[in-house]
Structures are given as structure tokens and as C-alpha cells.
Amino acid sequence: PTPTNILKARGSWRGKSRQKEPQPSEGLPPAPKWLDKAAKQVYRQVAAQLASMRIGRSPDVNAICRYCRKFVRWKQADLSIQKYGEVQPLKDKTGKVVMVAVAAWVKLEKSLSSDLDKLDAKFGFTPADRTRIQVEVTLPAKPEGKSRFFKAG
């Protein structure tokens, strides 16, 4: 379904009909204690990005944590590819290479990359995805009278 704030921005009558939709408070809490150190670093980075776009609320924490864990695992898989390559030799009992196979971390990296692409879209982490997200913009109040000719500070 289309989010209510987008329906309102479009002037749709449906935007007015959703009066009882939950409105979570703005901002994200700190990273949960159960999140590992590497994922917490990603969480802080993601939370800052979401805050700068004025999206991300406390009900989003679990989805963001999944994103952070998947990102850390994707990065580990990518580092393994850089270190060991995309293929690995398979040897028989004597140690002779009998064939070469795609390394497990290549498959893992591909799967995690696909998952991250989907989560990127949900959170608006790419330029194309950001065009689908709308937030209310509050413009600063214009000074009135003579004060409009003088800058504060």
C-alpha cells in the first residue's frame, strides 16, 4: 500500500481516510546491545543516513539490524573473494586437483547482495529509491517587519 503521507502529498482522498494509522515518534534508538560490534558500526552509519533524510523510526530497528548484519556478512564474503579468489580447487585424497569450483563465499556474496538490494530500496539508500520516498519539509519562518533586513548572530 502507498504510505499515507504520500497519498496526502498527492492530494488523494485516501490520505484523509486513514486517520487511525500509527504515527511512531521520530528518530532511532541507539543500536541494540545484542548487535555485534561490526554491525553496531554499520547501524550508527545507517541511523545517521536515515536521520539526515528524516526517515527511520523505532519500529524500523529490527529491519535495520537485519540490514546491518547482512551488510557485515556481505563485506566478509567480499573480503574472502578478494583474498582467496572466486574459485577454489577441489582435490582428491592424494592432493591432486581434480576440478575447480565456484567458492562458497561467491554464492554467499551474491545472495547477500540481492538481499541488501531489496533492503536498500525499502530504506531509500539509492538515488532511484529516494525518488519514491517523500517527507514533510518544514521551512524556516520568514522574519517580519524590520528584522527581515538584519541577520541574527
Side-chain angles (χ1 to χ4, degrees), residues 1-8 10 12 14-15 17-18 21-22 122 132-134:
T2 305
T4 302
N5 62 343
I6 293 176
L7 291 172
K8 286 180 181 178
R10 291 177 183 166
S12 170
R14 287 187 175 100
S17 68
R18 295 182 182 171
E21 185 175 307
K122 289 184 179 190
R132 296 179 187 95
I133 297 174
Q134 296 183 11

Side-chain angles (χ1 to χ4, degrees), residues 92-107:
D92 63 12
K93 292 179 182 178
T94 64
K96 181 180 175 187
V97 175
V98 292
M99 65 184 290
V100 178
V102 175
W105 47 81
V106 173
K107 295 174 187 175

Side-chain angles (χ1 to χ4, degrees), residues 51-63:
S52 73
M53 294 188 290
R54 298 187 25 227
I55 57 176
R57 306 286 187 263
S58 57
D60 303 328
V61 169
N62 288 334

